[in-house]
Amino acid sequence: MDIKDTIEGSFHIVGGDFSRAGEASTEIKSILQSLGFNKEIVRRAAIATFEAEMNIIIYTTAGILRYEITPERIKIIAQDMGPGIEDVELAMQEGYSTAPDWVREMGWGSGMGLPNMKKNSDDFKIDSVVGEGTTVEMIIYLDNTKS
Ligand SMILES: Nc1ncnc2c1ncn2[C@@H]1O[C@H](COP(=O)(O)OP(=O)(O)OP(=O)(O)O)[C@@H](O)[C@H]1O
Ligand SMILES: [Mg+2]
């Protein structure tokens, strides 16, 4: 597999639209598979992307999920339009969740999404401003892992 240029794209995600849950991350996963990345890279990117997509659907009004693939790395940026996170440090803790019961009944709300995004990326950044929105940037480096 050989990437020479930057491959990029984006998906609009509508908050509350559970009927499309997983659509963007599934699409990104199949792009990575078609580029021939090894299973472990695809798995990590897919988990991180899916958790980011779900958080936009569950907690926000709307957002954009972008991917940018270069010979060196996969970058995933999830940017939403709010409400923002009051205490990012708390939100990053395993098991912390504000998901309402009806969301938990669908199987979400274990408070593991953000920790798993961090765990599955090599670089993880989160920026949030209450009233404005949240941006999560995740990078997975490809060195020595290209198939
Ligand atoms: N984009 C976001 N905008 C606003 N709040 C968010 C956002 N992402 C996460 N949060 C807040 O951070 C908490 C923790 O998020 P995290 O993804 O770790 O767990 P969860 O979504 O509650 O459960 P799980 O991801 O395991 O289904 C959420 O419950 C929510 O309060
Ligand atoms: Mg989550």
Side-chain angles (χ1 to χ4, degrees):
M1 189 216 50
D2 222 359
I3 301 170
K4 294 199 176 62
D5 305 309
T6 302
I7 298 165
E8 56 192 339
S10 61
F11 298 89
H12 286 264
I13 297 162
V14 180
D17 189 358
F18 284 87
S19 73
R20 295 180 63 191
E23 230 177 61
S25 46
T26 301
E27 182 71 25
I28 291 174
K29 183 179 180 180
S30 65
I31 290 163
L32 296 175
Q33 280 169 335
S34 71
L35 289 168
F37 289 113
N38 74 40
K39 277 189 182 152
E40 182 59 13
I41 287 286
V42 174
R43 191 188 66 81
R44 289 169 59 205
I47 291 171
T49 308
F50 180 68
E51 294 291 355
E53 179 179 14
M54 286 314 303
N55 280 358
I56 293 176
I57 292 173
I58 297 171
Y59 303 107
T60 82
T61 318
I64 298 176
L65 196 62
R66 294 176 214 281
Y67 63 91
E68 200 188 285
I69 305 158
T70 71
E72 286 80 36
R73 53 147 182 77
I74 298 166
K75 190 193 270 187
I76 305 286
I77 301 161
Q79 184 171 20
D80 68 59
M81 292 166 54
I85 300 172
E86 234 164 83
D87 187 339
V88 171
E89 209 180 307
L90 185 61
M92 286 301 303
Q93 285 178 18
E94 292 189 5
Y96 176 81
S97 178
T98 62
D101 284 345
W102 65 270
V103 168
R104 290 173 196 264
E105 276 156 25
M106 289 195 284
W108 312 110
S110 307
M112 291 307 291
L114 288 169
N116 277 335
M117 287 183 232
K118 188 173 182 184
K119 208 174 287 174
N120 284 287
S121 32
D122 294 310
D123 278 350
F124 175 91
K125 267 190 268 177
I126 179 165
D127 270 309
S128 193
V129 179
V130 173
E132 287 185 22
T134 303
T135 302
V136 176
E137 191 179 296
M138 300 176 283
I139 295 176
I140 295 174
Y141 292 103
L142 302 171
D143 308 15
N144 309 319
T145 49
K146 283 188 266 186
S147 52

